[in-house]
Amino acid sequence: MKDMELGIPNLVAFAETMEALAAEDKDIIAVTSDSRGSGKLKPFGERFPQQIVEVGIAEQNLVGMAAGLASTGKKVFAVSPSCFLTARSLEQIKNDVCYSDNPVNLVGISAGVSYGALGSTHHSIHDLAVLRAINNINIMVPADNFETQKAITTAAQLNEPTFIRFGKRPMYHLHSSATKFELGKGIKLKDGSDLAFVATGETVYHAYKAAEALEKDGTHCTVLSMHSIKPFDEALLLETANKCQAMITVEEHSIYGGLGELCASTLMQHGKALPLKIVGIPDEYTVTGPQVDIFNHYGISPEGLYQTAKSLLLSELST
Amino acid sequence: MTPTELEQKSIEYRKKILKYIKQAKAGHTGGSLSCIDILNVLYNEVMNVGPDNFDSPDRDRYVQSKGHSVEALYVVLADQGFFPETDLETLCQYKSHYVGHPTRKVNGIEQNTGALGHGLAISAGMALAAKMDKKSYRVFTLLGDGELAEGSNWEAAMMIAHYKLDNLTAIVDRNMLQITDRTHNVLNTEPLEEKFKAFGWQVKEVNGHDFAGLTKVLKQGAFETGKPNLVIANTIKGKGISFMEDVLKWHHGVPDDEHYKQAQQELLDQELLFKAK
């Protein structure tokens, strides 16, 4: 991989992708709940005023109405902060989108602890857990601008109930445009047989930086970007587990019900045991402040992951 | 159909509703009997939808927000030819598509409902799509009066008026009873007319068992250009069966053999009376 360059926020990559899609297809509709500013969709709204619908601060109606629109053949993207979208309107997601099979694309913006300083009302560390338990929904968590653009275009083409969540700070480019992106398939960013970092979303970069630091110490790491939480690339996970001595999962989500438990469950059910550490937000009143400080606090930072890797490998060697 | 023919049709529908609820040993008896006349008029007189055009993007759409009264919808859809009536023999059985709330696995059903407070928002999306695409189809949704305690209805009501969706008609099956008690004792949702008017709707009130009145008001289209339409249909829960009318326990009460016999006899008597006229 080349030296990583800083890109734009995934939020902006999403909005630009939406514009490109809408220019080609008049059935692409963005639905917002007073969230076109937060969703960087103001330029979209100015360019395609007939393809954006504002419902006001009413997330239940956002999703229910989006389901009705989608039932008529519209390719709908319902855009709202993930904290509200996946909690306030959870029943609409469950029934009107998934159960009724209306192909709404639910876009959870400022997910995880992007709104870190605003308190837990605005944190979204439950979304993967609750949506994983609902039948008939794809879940994608892109790591960089490339993955975001691909997730959005994939969703538009799939025409199935889909949830995509990302944050709002600029992201480093992890991929070239030649990288293959496919729903249900993870992407291997780095290959090594000592330790595997299995990460999702905006923590993938942190895992990668930790792996680079470990490399200098002679520890060779695999780094996976598991952008597709559902369906999940079990084959890649198992192949990686068979090769590596230990595994660390990384996510901007509760340690309950997210990527880590998904990996643990998959490994155990395939008879694969290896030292495993789930890094995420623990079950406590989440500390508040800038996202980067919350990451540092819970060890989701490159330094924190480096230390966790050292501890895990040390304990592995001592047993 | 004439109002008289519709009335006769409703007797037939009521017989079937009771038959299949009795067979399944489950169902929402009272609410199905209160809304059946509305469904009768919608499907037989008002809506441009049937088995032959159900795939058409131009069809009229019906979303049953009060999904629990699905038995009424099933017998009407069977009568319309969406599926053989014998399918209803499997109502609520293991793996049957004919479950206790509407699902799209049953031909003729637009949306899966059952959790209350969802139909109006879904209908809003359908009606908005018609406006976007300059299509002339209409969207109907049936709400319960108890259901109006769900806040999501009022989010949708605001939005529907904001977007001037005059191609949408919401009908409230106002039978004044819900599972616990009289609606005004559980949570008073009145005055409905004033509330919806304040939200920017045009409102008409009708006897929900008067076929001529229902036909007139539902056929009319937009009551006022640029405003959504609310029809408050005053109904009687358990309508048509003397001992069920306005009696709480028949919300989801299933008739035993004696009650069933009596109920069917009453409907037979109504039919004979009709023929004698």
Side-chain angles (χ1 to χ4, degrees), chain B residues 58-227:
Chain B
D58 298 320
R59 71 188 182 280
D60 287 342
R61 283 145 171 94
Y62 170 75
V63 178
Q64 187 159 312
S65 196
K66 52 168 288 182
H68 53 281
S69 298
V70 71
E71 292 84 12
L73 183 57
Y74 285 153
V75 301
V76 173
L77 292 179
D79 184 49
Q80 296 289 308
F82 279 100
F83 51 83
E85 194 194 308
T86 50
D87 282 8
L88 295 177
E89 305 281 345
T90 69
L91 178 66
C92 287
Q93 287 179 6
Y94 177 58
K95 288 192 172 177
S96 170
H97 291 332
Y98 300 85
V99 297
H101 292 94
T103 81
R104 295 172 74 182
K105 288 190 173 172
V106 172
N107 192 24
I109 289 180
E110 288 281 355
Q111 293 293 314
N112 300 5
T113 52
L116 296 171
H118 288 246
L120 198 54
I122 297 169
S123 301
M126 293 173 168
L128 183 65
K131 293 286 184 189
M132 285 173 163
D133 295 341
K134 298 188 171 39
K135 287 186 180 294
S136 59
Y137 67 77
R138 297 179 65 192
V139 183
F140 296 87
T141 185
L142 182 70
L143 308 160
D145 50 356
E147 178 184 4
L148 290 171
E150 292 281 7
S152 49
N153 288 307
W154 303 99
E155 289 185 9
M158 264 188 280
M159 179 257 163
I160 290 163
H162 181 86
Y163 284 97
K164 301 181 170 40
L165 302 180
D166 56 8
N167 53 347
L168 187 153
T169 298
I171 307 157
V172 179
D173 176 11
R174 190 207 234 166
N175 60 34
M176 305 278 202
L177 276 177
Q178 58 191 97
I179 196 166
T180 301
D181 197 352
R182 298 212 166 271
T183 301
H184 67 256
N185 288 336
V186 177
L187 187 87
N188 189 12
T189 54
E190 300 291 339
L192 278 186
E193 182 173 350
E194 285 86 340
K195 281 188 174 118
F196 272 92
K197 278 186 171 168
F199 273 68
W201 289 56
Q202 188 59 267
V203 182
K204 291 202 174 185
E205 199 168 334
V206 64
N207 176 342
H209 305 298
D210 169 17
F211 295 93
L214 277 170
T215 303
K216 188 179 171 203
V217 79
L218 292 172
K219 262 191 171 175
Q220 192 183 333
F223 301 153
E224 184 182 330
T225 303
K227 283 191 174 184

Side-chain angles (χ1 to χ4, degrees), chain A residues 191-204:
Chain A
D191 206 2
S193 57
D194 294 327
L195 177 79
F197 284 108
V198 181
T200 193
E202 303 189 2
T203 66
V204 174

Side-chain angles (χ1 to χ4, degrees), chain B residues 41-62:
Chain B
V41 170
L42 278 175
Y43 276 91
N44 287 306
E45 274 303 302
V46 178
M47 288 198 300
N48 171 33
V49 67
D52 296 338
N53 74 343
F54 193 61
D55 290 337
S56 165
D58 298 320
R59 71 188 182 280
D60 287 342
R61 283 145 171 94
Y62 170 75

